[in-house]
Amino acid sequence: MGRFGDLLLAVSQESAILQFLNSQQNRKQHQHPNENFVCEVMELFTRGRSHYAEQHMKAAACVFMG
């Protein structure tokens, strides 16, 4: 088993998951970042379902957007 941070970083950079969850739509010019990717990462790899607020998801989506 490896480190959790390494797993999370690898998932966030995997082109297949980014493509599948429409992460290519995230651009600085967009006012509303795509939250699909962040929602899946939070649910599957970090806090689990319903253990985070909408404001956390929006903030994380902005981080991934750039």
Side-chain angles (χ1 to χ4, degrees):
M1 303 218 19
R3 294 179 11 195
F4 177 72
D6 293 339
L7 171 66
L8 196 56
L9 180 62
V11 167
S12 70
Q13 295 174 340
E14 176 58 46
S15 61
I17 196 167
L18 293 170
Q19 182 72 23
F20 180 72
L21 295 172
N22 302 321
S23 220
Q24 69 276 10
Q25 294 175 356
N26 288 340
R27 298 286 182 262
K28 288 182 182 181
Q29 298 82 7
H30 293 173
Q31 295 294 338
H32 304 287
N34 184 324
E35 297 167 358
N36 291 342
F37 174 73
V38 171
C39 185
E40 291 299 324
V41 168
M42 287 181 152
E43 287 182 356
L44 297 175
F45 297 101
T46 58
R47 304 289 317 262
R49 286 183 83 179
S50 303
H51 287 97
Y52 52 88
E54 185 176 347
Q55 70 187 35
H56 299 130
M57 189 171 63
K58 288 183 179 194
C62 287
V63 169
F64 278 104
M65 181 176 65

